[in-house]
């Protein structure tokens, strides 16, 4: 089977869509004439001739016999097509039909429209796909089928595993029930032993309490006697302490008088010391002022002395330089004199040597 072309597919889809729209329009058209609907259409300014022709054609065709069936079908077809074309071209007419209180269409008609709508959607889906898309869809369906089969196999395996787990759980539960029975038996034994021990402990506690009460009574009697003795001692100590308190009070008064006298003496001495301190402080202030003045004076003297020492140091340096220069001159003069005297001595020696030689020559000549 060849694939339809794009134009053919669009034409088929247009035909199916048009047929579905016409059927939807016809569901709102009453099968019998209704004066209220005609009045509503007239109020909205919609033409009613096509609707009246439709009703008239249907009534006329209902009276035809079987031999004129094709002719009647053709007339109804033409009238219906004209009415549907008019409703498509006139939205006001369609709204008037929608707003009219008409009866619900039959269920078989609605079912037929539903199936036709599904067929149209399926046809649109089929015609809108290429061969490659259809092949891809089939492969996807095969993949989904294989995955479903695999999931079913996994479900069977999981059910088997669940059965095994349930069996293991039942075995474990049975084992735990046995342990629970053992624990209940042990608990019953422990409760019995605990009851016996509790009875024994209560007996021991009762005996201990009885002994404690007896001991408490004996201790209470001893404490009462001790309290009586202490009360008597307290009364005796109170009398003794009262006498001692009177003596101490007298001593306190005496000491208080002495302390007051000492305080007065201390105040007098402190007043004298304060006066002396004020005088010393005044003298100290004067001496500090004088010390400050002398410090300033001696500071100036020290500065002057440092200046004089600096000048003396400079002058001493100058004198030392002069002495050095004089010493240099003296040394130079001494050296010059030494050289000069040396020359004179050498000249004298030379002249003496010449004189001796001349005397010797004359002596030889005389001989």
């Amino acid at each position: 089977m060849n694939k339809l072309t794009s134009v053919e597919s669009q034409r088929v889809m247009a035909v199916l869509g048009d047929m579905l729209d016409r059927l939807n329009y016809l569901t709102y058209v009453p099968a019998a004439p209704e004066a209220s609907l005609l009045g509503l259409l007239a109020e909205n300014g919609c033409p009613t001739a096509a609707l009246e022709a439709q009703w008239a054609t249907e009534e006329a065709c209902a009276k035809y016999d079987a031999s004129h069936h094709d002719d009647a079908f053709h007339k109804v077809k033409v009238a219906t097509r004209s009415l549907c074309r008019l409703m498509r071209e006139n939205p006001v007419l369609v709204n008037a039909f929608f707003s009219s209180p008409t009866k619900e269409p039959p269920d078989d008609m609605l079912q037929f429209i539903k199936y036709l709508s599904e067929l149209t959607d399926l046809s649109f889906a089929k015609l809108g796909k290429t061969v490659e898309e259809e092949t891809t869809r089939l492969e996807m369906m095969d993949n989904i089928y294989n995955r479903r089969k695999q999931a079913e196999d996994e479900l069977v395996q999981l059910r088997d595993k669940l059965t095994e787990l349930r069996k293991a759980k039942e075995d474990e539960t049975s084992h735990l029930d046995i342990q629970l029975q053992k624990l209940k038996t042990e608990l019953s034994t422990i409760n019995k032993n605990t009851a016996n021990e509790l009875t024994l402990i209560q007996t021991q506690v009762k005996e201990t309490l009885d002994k404690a009460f007896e001991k408490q009574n004996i201790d209470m009697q001893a404490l009462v006697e001790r309290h009586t003795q202490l009360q008597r001692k307290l009364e005796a100590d109170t009398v003794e302490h009262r006498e001692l308190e009177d003596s101490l009070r007298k001593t306190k008064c005496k000491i208080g008088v002495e302390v007051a006298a000492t305080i007065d003496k201390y105040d007098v001495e402190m007043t004298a010391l304060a006066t002396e301190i004020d005088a010393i402080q005044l003298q100290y202030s004067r001496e500090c002022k004088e010390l400050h003045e002398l410090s300033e004076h001696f500071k100036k003297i020290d500065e002057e002395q440092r200046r004089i020492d600096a000048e003396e140091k400079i002058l001493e340096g100058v004198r030392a330089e002069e002495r050095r220069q004089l010493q240099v001159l003296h040394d130079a003069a001494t050296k010059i004199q030494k050289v000069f005297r040396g020359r004179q001595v050498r000249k004298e020696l030379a002249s003496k040597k010449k004189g001796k030689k001349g005397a010797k020559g004359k002596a030889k000549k005389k001989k």
Side-chain angles (χ1 to χ4, degrees), residues 2-6 9-10 13 121-141:
N2 295 327
K3 179 74 175 178
L4 295 177
T5 62
S6 177
S9 300
Q10 292 179 1
M13 289 188 289
D121 295 337
L122 183 61
S123 300
F124 286 171
K126 287 284 187 179
L127 295 174
K129 292 181 179 179
T130 61
V131 177
E132 291 79 5
E133 292 176 349
E134 185 67 20
T135 304
T136 304
R137 189 185 68 82
L138 292 176
E139 291 177 355
M140 184 178 66
M141 293 297 293

Side-chain angles (χ1 to χ4, degrees), residues 28-94:
Y28 292 96
V29 178
E34 292 183 3
S36 59
L37 180 59
L38 293 175
L40 181 61
L41 294 176
E43 290 177 359
N44 292 324
C46 299
T48 60
L51 181 59
E52 293 175 353
Q54 177 72 24
W55 285 337
T57 303
E58 290 180 357
E59 289 179 356
C61 291
K63 298 177 181 180
Y64 288 170
D65 53 5
S67 59
H68 299 85
H69 182 269
D70 293 337
D71 188 18
F73 178 75
H74 179 69
K75 289 181 179 180
V76 172
K77 180 179 178 182
V78 172
T80 303
R81 185 179 298 170
S82 299
L83 180 60
C84 291
R85 187 181 299 112
L86 180 63
M87 293 178 70
R88 180 187 298 172
E89 295 174 354
N90 194 348
V92 179
L93 180 62
V94 176

Side-chain angles (χ1 to χ4, degrees), residues 332-344:
T334 303
K335 288 180 180 180
I336 291 170
Q337 289 177 0
K338 286 180 180 180
V339 173
F340 180 74
R341 289 175 181 174
R343 287 181 178 180
Q344 285 183 349

Side-chain angles (χ1 to χ4, degrees), residues 252-265:
K252 177 185 175 183
C253 293
K254 182 179 179 181
I255 292 172
V257 173
E258 293 177 356
V259 168
T262 304
I263 290 172
D264 293 338
K265 183 180 179 181

Side-chain angles (χ1 to χ4, degrees), residues 166-191:
R166 284 179 178 174
K167 186 176 180 181
K169 193 68 176 179
E170 289 175 357
D171 295 339
E172 185 179 357
T173 304
S174 177
H175 181 66
L176 291 175
D177 289 337
I178 295 171
Q179 290 183 353
L180 181 61
Q181 293 297 329
K182 290 181 180 179
L183 291 174
K184 285 182 178 179
T185 304
E186 292 177 359
L187 181 61
S188 177
T189 305
I190 291 171
N191 289 332

